[in-house]
Amino acid sequence: MSLALQTFSSVKDANAALQAAGARYLGGGTLVIRAANEGDVSISSLIRVNDPGLLQIAVSGAKVRLGASVTMAAIARHPELAALAPAARAVGGPAIRNMATVGGNLFAPAPYGDFAVALLALDATVDTEDGELAVETFLAGRDTSRAIVTAATFSLPKAESFRFLKVSRVKPKGVSVLSIAALLELAPDGTVTSARIALGCMADRPMRALAAEKALLGCKLTPQEIAPALAAASEGIAPITDPIASAWYRAEVLPVHLGRLLSN
Amino acid sequence: MAKVPVQFTLNGSEKAEFVESGATLLHALRDKIGDTSPKGGCHQGTCGACSVIIDGELRLSCLTLAETCNGAAITTTAGLAEGGVLHPLQRAFLDAFATQCGFCTPGMIMAAKVLLDRTPNPSREDVVEALSGNICRCTGYEPIIQAVLTAARANSQNAA
Ligand SMILES: Cc1cc2nc3c(=O)[nH]c(=O)nc-3n(C[C@H](O)[C@H](O)[C@H](O)COP(=O)(O)OP(=O)(O)OC[C@H]3O[C@@H](n4cnc5c(N)ncnc54)[C@H](O)[C@@H]3O)c2cc1C
Ligand code: FES
Ligand code: FES
């Protein structure tokens, strides 16, 4: 079997070529080449873009822009992105992190997409050839999206307000049982004034724990006060079953791990 | 399907080949150029046996298209020994019995080499992390970790 690779210097031209049947965008290739190696005949050509802008990490003040081709390794070692390093380091082993891109992670089906879980908690904006989309809107429509993602932008969280946790069975790397990212603002007395919580592996793609977010408002992060939020975390989830864990197991352990993340 | 030319440096020497469009680097190295040191274990990115170093970074050759390596500098385990003298990592793997069937060894050595090139005195945790994308079904990992730590010590003694 052979795959035609087409390289473009502009996203616009690549986007036009991507509309052809059987054409797939090539990011780092960790999912798309794997699919081709496994005999996925729906892929007949690969489109890539070598615009250096896609590789750029721009941090200006509190605004961060990650080009879609930025790798997990580049994020993990960037001195100004220390708050995001745990999420970037959660993806695969060292070779995978050298290849896996931000753009590809936004399309990765569960149990993958750990970095996209972080982007969802951060309320990122996804830039595509068709315009800018809130990450939630992007994730909901990604199956039918034919537009090349060019970047993800978000406000850099303060280290103490952003928490990320990935649970896996194989240490130090391994596929997620689940992942959780939380962006929390606390008042000086420790009361939660705003909360955004994103879950991985609790659906086929990253989702928000809306009921838990609501239940956390006005609480202090003590075991007693967060208990209603932990109970609410399971609302609306439909966890995946795969060789790592069943849906039942994932649902059972979600409140346990969310509790640990919140009370840390 | 049309063949496409690829040209890169492999272990310091220039290589040029025609490959089928969409061929992986693993295929180009093993079946076209004849460097069989990278192994094809899973072709899915999970075993790490096909690991090579491309422009200083560890990569999986089974998930990399040969065409995307034009102009790159590629290092494989076959290029490490110099004039019949084994690289310190190869020596340490032999001495520590860190290779049994040997299938994972070239990938392990590539992952370890990238680590030692950047972190000459790694901790045990650094070694475990660096090898975390590579699977070994024989040794139980401990001899491999020890071999990498031994090679690191040998390197730093040479440098001293
Ligand atoms: C062994 C192994 C372990 C892994 N472990 C993890 C893990 O722990 N956590 C995790 O989250 N993931 C993991 N992954 C999955 C994957 O490596 C990551 O999700 C990665 O970020 C995908 O990015 P990529 O650039 O390699 O995607 P690609 O394979 O290049 O692309 C994936 C899909 O997204 C589309 N796409 C990519 N970029 C764009 C873009 N800019 N615009 C439009 N479409 C695009 C492609 O067309 C394709 O359909 C693992 C994969 C492997 C093989
Ligand atoms: S053959 Fe490439 S990772 Fe297994
Ligand atoms: S020595 Fe056999 S797989 Fe590692």
Side-chain angles (χ1 to χ4, degrees):
Chain A
M1 191 196 55
S2 104
L3 281 172
L5 173 70
Q6 290 172 273
T7 305
F8 294 89
S9 51
S10 93
V11 176
K12 204 174 167 45
D13 295 345
N15 220 54
L18 198 57
Q19 308 311 314
R24 288 278 282 277
Y25 188 78
L26 174 67
T30 58
L31 290 173
V32 78
I33 305 293
R34 184 169 79 167
N37 287 350
E38 283 173 350
D40 183 341
V41 290
S42 72
I43 310 169
S44 54
S45 67
L46 292 169
I47 309 288
R48 73 171 177 154
V49 182
N50 56 12
D51 174 349
L54 295 180
L55 281 166
Q56 259 170 22
I57 298 180
V59 185
S60 61
K63 268 271 162 247
V64 179
R65 184 177 190 279
L66 301 176
S69 303
V70 167
T71 62
M72 297 299 130
I75 297 166
R77 66 171 170 252
H78 196 284
E80 290 173 276
L81 300 181
L84 289 180
R89 269 201 299 269
V91 175
I96 289 285
R97 289 197 290 276
N98 283 336
M99 304 171 73
T101 67
V102 171
N105 209 271
L106 281 165
F107 285 92
Y112 300 139
D114 295 314
F115 195 76
V117 170
L119 290 176
L120 178 57
L122 292 171
D123 199 9
T125 300
V126 178
D127 297 359
T128 75
E129 257 301 280
D130 287 350
E132 295 178 3
L133 296 172
V135 62
E136 254 165 310
T137 316
F138 169 81
L139 287 170
R142 72 179 183 186
D143 299 347
T144 50
S145 158
R146 303 291 287 164
I148 294 174
V149 171
T150 51
T153 56
F154 51 89
S155 304
L156 188 63
K158 285 191 233 80
E160 64 277 13
S161 58
F162 185 65
R163 303 175 184 198
F164 180 85
L165 170 80
K166 168 171 165 172
V167 180
S168 61
R169 292 195 164 154
V170 180
K171 299 287 181 334
K173 78 132 212 179
V175 170
S176 280
V177 171
L178 56 85
S179 53
I180 311 174
L183 185 66
L184 302 172
E185 296 295 340
L186 305 183
D189 71 349
T191 312
V192 176
T193 54
S194 87
R196 229 183 120 94
I197 299 174
L199 308 175
C201 296
M202 291 298 146
D204 66 346
R205 65 199 72 196
M207 65 176 280
R208 270 174 79 188
L210 291 166
E213 290 174 1
K214 222 166 136 193
L216 270 182
L217 293 178
C219 294
K220 293 214 170 78
L221 297 176
T222 62
Q224 295 76 10
E225 294 198 28
I226 64 172
L230 302 189
S234 306
E235 212 165 278
I237 60 167
I240 57 159
T241 287
D242 66 3
I244 303 294
S246 65
W248 174 84
Y249 178 81
R250 285 189 160 103
E252 285 294 308
V253 299
L254 170 63
V256 178
H257 291 295
L258 180 58
R260 286 181 192 161
L261 183 75
L262 292 176
S263 43
N264 254 336
Chain B
M1 178 63 77
K3 301 242 176 190
V4 290
V6 292
Q7 173 276 320
F8 48 71
T9 310
L10 176 65
N11 298 321
S13 51
E14 293 276 328
K15 301 285 173 193
E17 268 297 341
F18 284 96
V19 298
E20 266 187 35
S21 182
T24 63
L25 177 62
L26 179 64
H27 170 76
L29 289 174
R30 289 182 61 86
D31 304 326
K32 290 284 178 174
I33 293 170
D35 178 350
T36 56
S37 64
K39 308 294 178 211
C42 65
H43 302 272
Q44 292 187 14
T46 36
C47 74
C50 68
S51 301
V52 299
I53 302 172
I54 304 179
D55 293 333
E57 288 202 336
L58 192 68
R59 300 265 182 151
L60 300 170
S61 62
C62 74
L63 298 182
T64 302
L65 296 187
E67 293 155 75
T68 62
C69 298
N70 270 318
I74 301 174
T75 304
T76 66
T77 300
L80 293 189
E82 277 179 41
V85 179
L86 292 182
H87 184 275
L89 273 167
Q90 292 173 303
R91 184 81 259 153
F93 267 64
L94 276 180
D95 292 347
F97 199 43
T99 182
Q100 288 184 33
C101 80
F103 201 80
C104 71
T105 309
M108 290 285 179
I109 287 184
M110 287 293 100
K113 182 171 189 306
V114 175
L115 171 71
L116 298 192
D117 287 348
R118 291 188 187 163
T119 314
N121 285 306
S123 66
R124 189 192 147 84
E125 288 65 43
D126 294 336
V127 175
V128 171
E129 170 60 37
L131 302 179
S132 62
N134 296 69
I135 290 176
C136 176
R137 289 288 88 134
C138 303
T139 64
Y141 298 100
E142 198 51 42
I144 298 178
I145 297 166
Q146 290 309 324
V148 178
L149 289 169
T150 305
R153 279 196 295 275
N155 267 349
S156 52
Q157 272 159 19
N158 286 349

